[in-house]
mmCIF file of all heavy atoms in Angstrom:
data_model
loop_
_atom_site.group_PDB
_atom_site.id
_atom_site.type_symbol
_atom_site.label_atom_id
_atom_site.label_comp_id
_atom_site.label_asym_id
_atom_site.label_seq_id
_atom_site.Cartn_x
_atom_site.Cartn_y
_atom_site.Cartn_z
ATOM 1 N N TYR T 1148 -5.026 -30.949 15.821
ATOM 2 C CA TYR T 1148 -5.059 -32.394 15.927
ATOM 3 C C TYR T 1148 -6.378 -32.860 16.293
ATOM 4 O O TYR T 1148 -6.909 -32.429 17.346
ATOM 5 C CB TYR T 1148 -4.011 -32.944 16.744
ATOM 6 C CG TYR T 1148 -3.951 -34.547 16.874
ATOM 7 C CD1 TYR T 1148 -3.208 -35.137 15.878
ATOM 8 C CD2 TYR T 1148 -4.585 -35.213 17.836
ATOM 9 C CE1 TYR T 1148 -3.222 -36.554 15.843
ATOM 10 C CE2 TYR T 1148 -4.498 -36.643 17.807
ATOM 11 C CZ TYR T 1148 -3.913 -37.290 16.799
ATOM 12 O OH TYR T 1148 -3.799 -38.638 16.783
ATOM 13 N N MET T 1149 -7.036 -33.630 15.434
ATOM 14 C CA MET T 1149 -8.476 -34.204 15.702
ATOM 15 C C MET T 1149 -8.263 -35.530 16.379
ATOM 16 O O MET T 1149 -7.974 -36.579 15.700
ATOM 17 C CB MET T 1149 -9.161 -34.252 14.404
ATOM 18 C CG MET T 1149 -9.541 -32.925 13.706
ATOM 19 S SD MET T 1149 -10.677 -31.850 14.555
ATOM 20 C CE MET T 1149 -12.177 -32.928 14.385
ATOM 21 N N TRP T 1150 -8.543 -35.571 17.654
ATOM 22 C CA TRP T 1150 -8.555 -36.859 18.387
ATOM 23 C C TRP T 1150 -9.558 -37.667 17.868
ATOM 24 O O TRP T 1150 -9.498 -38.897 17.764
ATOM 25 C CB TRP T 1150 -8.594 -36.586 19.854
ATOM 26 C CG TRP T 1150 -7.489 -35.766 20.342
ATOM 27 C CD1 TRP T 1150 -7.407 -34.454 20.665
ATOM 28 C CD2 TRP T 1150 -6.159 -36.267 20.863
ATOM 29 N NE1 TRP T 1150 -6.152 -34.035 21.162
ATOM 30 C CE2 TRP T 1150 -5.401 -35.141 21.227
ATOM 31 C CE3 TRP T 1150 -5.515 -37.501 20.865
ATOM 32 C CZ2 TRP T 1150 -4.102 -35.290 21.814
ATOM 33 C CZ3 TRP T 1150 -4.313 -37.683 21.301
ATOM 34 C CH2 TRP T 1150 -3.553 -36.553 21.827
ATOM 35 N N SER T 1151 -10.852 -37.067 17.638
ATOM 36 C CA SER T 1151 -12.023 -37.722 17.225
ATOM 37 C C SER T 1151 -12.968 -36.635 16.765
ATOM 38 O O SER T 1151 -12.579 -35.443 16.648
ATOM 39 C CB SER T 1151 -12.659 -38.452 18.374
ATOM 40 O OG SER T 1151 -13.157 -37.540 19.378
ATOM 41 N N GLU T 1152 -14.103 -37.024 16.341
ATOM 42 C CA GLU T 1152 -15.057 -36.081 15.922
ATOM 43 C C GLU T 1152 -15.555 -35.128 17.061
ATOM 44 O O GLU T 1152 -16.068 -34.019 16.840
ATOM 45 C CB GLU T 1152 -16.239 -36.731 15.359
ATOM 46 C CG GLU T 1152 -16.100 -37.366 13.962
ATOM 47 C CD GLU T 1152 -15.798 -36.413 12.912
ATOM 48 O OE1 GLU T 1152 -16.327 -35.287 12.970
ATOM 49 O OE2 GLU T 1152 -15.082 -36.660 11.940
ATOM 50 N N LYS T 1153 -15.300 -35.544 18.315
ATOM 51 C CA LYS T 1153 -15.698 -34.781 19.428
ATOM 52 C C LYS T 1153 -14.642 -34.103 20.202
ATOM 53 O O LYS T 1153 -14.878 -33.514 21.228
ATOM 54 C CB LYS T 1153 -16.465 -35.770 20.399
ATOM 55 C CG LYS T 1153 -17.718 -36.346 19.702
ATOM 56 C CD LYS T 1153 -18.479 -37.164 20.761
ATOM 57 C CE LYS T 1153 -19.665 -37.843 20.109
ATOM 58 N NZ LYS T 1153 -20.437 -38.666 21.085
ATOM 59 N N SER T 1154 -13.430 -34.185 19.773
ATOM 60 C CA SER T 1154 -12.262 -33.597 20.505
ATOM 61 C C SER T 1154 -11.219 -33.154 19.450
ATOM 62 O O SER T 1154 -10.780 -33.879 18.614
ATOM 63 C CB SER T 1154 -11.601 -34.713 21.469
ATOM 64 O OG SER T 1154 -10.612 -34.105 22.142
ATOM 65 N N ARG T 1155 -10.765 -31.966 19.708
ATOM 66 C CA ARG T 1155 -9.711 -31.318 18.865
ATOM 67 C C ARG T 1155 -8.745 -30.455 19.788
ATOM 68 O O ARG T 1155 -9.208 -29.656 20.575
ATOM 69 C CB ARG T 1155 -10.376 -30.480 17.879
ATOM 70 C CG ARG T 1155 -9.199 -29.754 16.921
ATOM 71 C CD ARG T 1155 -9.890 -28.976 15.899
ATOM 72 N NE ARG T 1155 -10.336 -27.636 16.434
ATOM 73 C CZ ARG T 1155 -10.487 -26.621 15.711
ATOM 74 N NH1 ARG T 1155 -10.401 -26.577 14.358
ATOM 75 N NH2 ARG T 1155 -10.896 -25.552 16.255
ATOM 76 N N SER T 1156 -7.369 -30.603 19.445
ATOM 77 C CA SER T 1156 -6.468 -29.855 20.228
ATOM 78 C C SER T 1156 -5.811 -28.889 19.165
ATOM 79 O O SER T 1156 -5.711 -29.332 17.997
ATOM 80 C CB SER T 1156 -5.377 -30.704 20.954
ATOM 81 O OG SER T 1156 -5.886 -31.531 21.795
ATOM 82 N N TRP T 1157 -5.437 -27.751 19.615
ATOM 83 C CA TRP T 1157 -4.825 -26.759 18.657
ATOM 84 C C TRP T 1157 -3.717 -25.957 19.366
ATOM 85 O O TRP T 1157 -3.673 -25.788 20.547
ATOM 86 C CB TRP T 1157 -5.845 -25.847 18.155
ATOM 87 C CG TRP T 1157 -6.882 -25.404 19.125
ATOM 88 C CD1 TRP T 1157 -8.105 -25.889 19.273
ATOM 89 C CD2 TRP T 1157 -6.616 -24.314 20.012
ATOM 90 N NE1 TRP T 1157 -8.762 -25.095 20.314
ATOM 91 C CE2 TRP T 1157 -8.022 -24.112 20.776
ATOM 92 C CE3 TRP T 1157 -5.724 -23.308 20.338
ATOM 93 C CZ2 TRP T 1157 -8.159 -23.175 21.773
ATOM 94 C CZ3 TRP T 1157 -5.910 -22.426 21.330
ATOM 95 C CH2 TRP T 1157 -7.140 -22.422 22.054
ATOM 96 N N PHE T 1158 -2.763 -25.570 18.488
ATOM 97 C CA PHE T 1158 -1.719 -24.541 18.850
ATOM 98 C C PHE T 1158 -1.812 -23.381 17.816
ATOM 99 O O PHE T 1158 -1.731 -23.626 16.632
ATOM 100 C CB PHE T 1158 -0.387 -25.212 18.892
ATOM 101 C CG PHE T 1158 0.739 -24.292 18.886
ATOM 102 C CD1 PHE T 1158 1.181 -23.752 20.104
ATOM 103 C CD2 PHE T 1158 1.422 -23.867 17.698
ATOM 104 C CE1 PHE T 1158 2.295 -22.796 20.192
ATOM 105 C CE2 PHE T 1158 2.516 -22.962 17.848
ATOM 106 C CZ PHE T 1158 2.894 -22.438 19.049
ATOM 107 N N ARG T 1159 -1.775 -22.097 18.304
ATOM 108 C CA ARG T 1159 -1.932 -21.049 17.379
ATOM 109 C C ARG T 1159 -0.862 -19.876 17.815
ATOM 110 O O ARG T 1159 -0.623 -19.683 19.010
ATOM 111 C CB ARG T 1159 -3.310 -20.285 17.450
ATOM 112 C CG ARG T 1159 -4.371 -21.316 17.085
ATOM 113 C CD ARG T 1159 -5.753 -20.701 17.359
ATOM 114 N NE ARG T 1159 -6.826 -21.618 16.995
ATOM 115 C CZ ARG T 1159 -8.121 -21.624 17.513
ATOM 116 N NH1 ARG T 1159 -8.389 -20.730 18.442
ATOM 117 N NH2 ARG T 1159 -9.031 -22.429 17.136
ATOM 118 N N PHE T 1160 -0.188 -19.394 16.800
ATOM 119 C CA PHE T 1160 0.758 -18.306 16.957
ATOM 120 C C PHE T 1160 0.653 -17.251 15.931
ATOM 121 O O PHE T 1160 0.589 -17.590 14.766
ATOM 122 C CB PHE T 1160 2.168 -18.930 16.979
ATOM 123 C CG PHE T 1160 3.271 -17.979 17.251
ATOM 124 C CD1 PHE T 1160 3.593 -17.370 18.418
ATOM 125 C CD2 PHE T 1160 4.002 -17.662 16.108
ATOM 126 C CE1 PHE T 1160 4.620 -16.488 18.549
ATOM 127 C CE2 PHE T 1160 5.100 -16.692 16.168
ATOM 128 C CZ PHE T 1160 5.308 -16.068 17.471
ATOM 129 N N LEU T 1161 0.608 -16.062 16.374
ATOM 130 C CA LEU T 1161 0.652 -14.852 15.432
ATOM 131 C C LEU T 1161 1.628 -13.813 15.938
ATOM 132 O O LEU T 1161 1.478 -13.354 17.143
ATOM 133 C CB LEU T 1161 -0.821 -14.323 15.363
ATOM 134 C CG LEU T 1161 -0.835 -13.009 14.375
ATOM 135 C CD1 LEU T 1161 -0.531 -13.299 12.956
ATOM 136 C CD2 LEU T 1161 -2.297 -12.492 14.573
ATOM 137 N N TRP T 1162 2.635 -13.399 15.186
ATOM 138 C CA TRP T 1162 3.559 -12.398 15.475
ATOM 139 C C TRP T 1162 3.584 -11.376 14.518
ATOM 140 O O TRP T 1162 3.575 -11.613 13.197
ATOM 141 C CB TRP T 1162 4.967 -13.096 15.442
ATOM 142 C CG TRP T 1162 6.141 -12.115 15.676
ATOM 143 C CD1 TRP T 1162 6.673 -11.750 16.901
ATOM 144 C CD2 TRP T 1162 6.900 -11.549 14.686
ATOM 145 N NE1 TRP T 1162 7.713 -10.882 16.659
ATOM 146 C CE2 TRP T 1162 7.881 -10.802 15.336
ATOM 147 C CE3 TRP T 1162 6.974 -11.547 13.343
ATOM 148 C CZ2 TRP T 1162 8.778 -9.984 14.714
ATOM 149 C CZ3 TRP T 1162 7.802 -10.840 12.643
ATOM 150 C CH2 TRP T 1162 8.834 -10.062 13.312
ATOM 151 N N ASN T 1163 3.506 -10.085 14.923
ATOM 152 C CA ASN T 1163 3.538 -8.955 13.979
ATOM 153 C C ASN T 1163 4.506 -7.812 14.581
ATOM 154 O O ASN T 1163 4.673 -7.637 15.790
ATOM 155 C CB ASN T 1163 2.119 -8.327 14.047
ATOM 156 C CG ASN T 1163 1.123 -9.299 13.745
ATOM 157 O OD1 ASN T 1163 0.762 -9.610 12.553
ATOM 158 N ND2 ASN T 1163 0.383 -9.820 14.818
ATOM 159 N N GLU T 1164 5.186 -7.159 13.596
ATOM 160 C CA GLU T 1164 6.099 -6.085 13.877
ATOM 161 C C GLU T 1164 5.883 -4.973 12.900
ATOM 162 O O GLU T 1164 5.822 -5.223 11.621
ATOM 163 C CB GLU T 1164 7.597 -6.586 13.826
ATOM 164 C CG GLU T 1164 8.583 -5.436 14.157
ATOM 165 C CD GLU T 1164 10.011 -5.911 14.174
ATOM 166 O OE1 GLU T 1164 10.427 -6.569 15.121
ATOM 167 O OE2 GLU T 1164 10.708 -5.711 13.129
ATOM 168 N N PHE T 1165 5.864 -3.780 13.366
ATOM 169 C CA PHE T 1165 5.576 -2.622 12.503
ATOM 170 C C PHE T 1165 6.693 -1.584 12.855
ATOM 171 O O PHE T 1165 6.941 -1.232 13.964
ATOM 172 C CB PHE T 1165 4.224 -2.030 12.905
ATOM 173 C CG PHE T 1165 3.972 -0.716 12.225
ATOM 174 C CD1 PHE T 1165 3.692 -0.726 10.842
ATOM 175 C CD2 PHE T 1165 3.957 0.554 12.892
ATOM 176 C CE1 PHE T 1165 3.313 0.442 10.300
ATOM 177 C CE2 PHE T 1165 3.592 1.778 12.200
ATOM 178 C CZ PHE T 1165 3.395 1.642 10.925
ATOM 179 N N GLY T 1166 7.476 -1.175 11.808
ATOM 180 C CA GLY T 1166 8.525 -0.236 11.926
ATOM 181 C C GLY T 1166 8.120 1.021 11.151
ATOM 182 O O GLY T 1166 7.646 1.022 10.017
ATOM 183 N N ASP T 1167 8.320 2.216 11.877
ATOM 184 C CA ASP T 1167 7.972 3.530 11.318
ATOM 185 C C ASP T 1167 9.120 4.474 11.518
ATOM 186 O O ASP T 1167 9.446 4.910 12.603
ATOM 187 C CB ASP T 1167 6.756 4.035 11.993
ATOM 188 C CG ASP T 1167 6.234 5.304 11.532
ATOM 189 O OD1 ASP T 1167 6.741 5.615 10.354
ATOM 190 O OD2 ASP T 1167 5.375 5.964 12.064
ATOM 191 N N SER T 1168 9.850 4.695 10.398
ATOM 192 C CA SER T 1168 10.979 5.675 10.477
ATOM 193 C C SER T 1168 10.525 7.023 9.922
ATOM 194 O O SER T 1168 10.136 7.110 8.797
ATOM 195 C CB SER T 1168 12.091 5.133 9.621
ATOM 196 O OG SER T 1168 13.208 5.987 9.567
ATOM 197 N N GLU T 1169 10.534 7.992 10.746
ATOM 198 C CA GLU T 1169 10.074 9.424 10.367
ATOM 199 C C GLU T 1169 11.159 10.430 10.495
ATOM 200 O O GLU T 1169 11.779 10.561 11.563
ATOM 201 C CB GLU T 1169 8.946 9.721 11.326
ATOM 202 C CG GLU T 1169 8.371 11.102 10.884
ATOM 203 C CD GLU T 1169 7.115 11.374 11.916
ATOM 204 O OE1 GLU T 1169 6.163 10.543 11.956
ATOM 205 O OE2 GLU T 1169 7.192 12.361 12.639
ATOM 206 N N ASN T 1170 11.365 11.153 9.462
ATOM 207 C CA ASN T 1170 12.151 12.462 9.461
ATOM 208 C C ASN T 1170 11.362 13.604 9.115
ATOM 209 O O ASN T 1170 10.646 13.626 8.048
ATOM 210 C CB ASN T 1170 13.279 12.307 8.344
ATOM 211 C CG ASN T 1170 14.328 11.240 8.698
ATOM 212 O OD1 ASN T 1170 14.983 11.280 9.763
ATOM 213 N ND2 ASN T 1170 14.466 10.276 7.765
ATOM 214 N N ARG T 1171 11.339 14.523 10.099
ATOM 215 C CA ARG T 1171 10.464 15.745 9.911
ATOM 216 C C ARG T 1171 11.216 17.005 10.121
ATOM 217 O O ARG T 1171 11.966 17.205 11.008
ATOM 218 C CB ARG T 1171 9.269 15.725 11.098
ATOM 219 C CG ARG T 1171 8.243 16.784 10.856
ATOM 220 C CD ARG T 1171 7.323 16.877 11.948
ATOM 221 N NE ARG T 1171 8.021 17.414 13.217
ATOM 222 C CZ ARG T 1171 7.407 17.504 14.470
ATOM 223 N NH1 ARG T 1171 6.200 17.047 14.534
ATOM 224 N NH2 ARG T 1171 8.084 17.972 15.334
ATOM 225 N N ARG T 1172 10.988 17.845 9.229
ATOM 226 C CA ARG T 1172 11.504 19.263 9.261
ATOM 227 C C ARG T 1172 10.299 20.236 9.473
ATOM 228 O O ARG T 1172 9.370 20.228 8.785
ATOM 229 C CB ARG T 1172 12.287 19.634 8.073
ATOM 230 C CG ARG T 1172 13.521 18.847 7.736
ATOM 231 C CD ARG T 1172 14.222 19.027 6.494
ATOM 232 N NE ARG T 1172 13.361 18.572 5.290
ATOM 233 C CZ ARG T 1172 13.748 18.750 4.075
ATOM 234 N NH1 ARG T 1172 14.884 19.314 3.759
ATOM 235 N NH2 ARG T 1172 12.907 18.359 3.124
ATOM 236 N N ARG T 1173 10.440 21.103 10.466
ATOM 237 C CA ARG T 1173 9.365 21.944 10.825
ATOM 238 C C ARG T 1173 9.910 23.330 11.034
ATOM 239 O O ARG T 1173 10.882 23.589 11.728
ATOM 240 C CB ARG T 1173 8.587 21.583 11.982
ATOM 241 C CG ARG T 1173 7.333 22.355 12.376
ATOM 242 C CD ARG T 1173 6.703 22.028 13.682
ATOM 243 N NE ARG T 1173 7.636 22.415 14.809
ATOM 244 C CZ ARG T 1173 7.163 22.264 16.107
ATOM 245 N NH1 ARG T 1173 5.980 21.869 16.323
ATOM 246 N NH2 ARG T 1173 7.944 22.791 17.003
ATOM 247 N N ILE T 1174 9.242 24.432 10.366
ATOM 248 C CA ILE T 1174 9.578 25.736 10.588
ATOM 249 C C ILE T 1174 8.227 26.384 11.147
ATOM 250 O O ILE T 1174 7.194 26.359 10.510
ATOM 251 C CB ILE T 1174 9.913 26.524 9.402
ATOM 252 C CG1 ILE T 1174 11.282 25.850 8.823
ATOM 253 C CG2 ILE T 1174 10.256 28.050 9.705
ATOM 254 C CD1 ILE T 1174 11.725 26.518 7.542
ATOM 255 N N GLU T 1175 8.340 27.031 12.441
ATOM 256 C CA GLU T 1175 7.259 27.537 13.066
ATOM 257 C C GLU T 1175 7.374 29.146 13.179
ATOM 258 O O GLU T 1175 8.378 29.518 13.748
ATOM 259 C CB GLU T 1175 7.023 26.965 14.388
ATOM 260 C CG GLU T 1175 5.782 27.503 15.160
ATOM 261 C CD GLU T 1175 5.477 26.886 16.493
ATOM 262 O OE1 GLU T 1175 6.303 26.006 16.802
ATOM 263 O OE2 GLU T 1175 4.444 27.151 17.071
#
C-alpha cells in the first residue's frame, strides 16, 4: 500500500514444503 511517494507499507508471506519418500535396499 503506497500511502504516498514517500511512504509504503507491505505484507509478505512465503510458505514452502518439501516431501522426500525414500525406499532403499542395501546388501553389504
Side-chain angles (χ1 to χ4, degrees):
Y1148 185 81
M1149 296 286 295
W1150 300 92
S1151 66
E1152 288 293 331
K1153 300 182 180 181
S1154 179
R1155 181 181 75 160
S1156 297
W1157 41 261
F1158 168 82
R1159 297 167 182 159
F1160 176 75
L1161 175 63
W1162 174 87
N1163 308 279
E1164 181 178 281
F1165 176 74
D1167 186 11
S1168 177
E1169 177 182 305
N1170 293 300
R1171 186 190 71 184
R1172 294 175 292 181
R1173 185 186 72 172
I1174 298 177
E1175 181 178 3

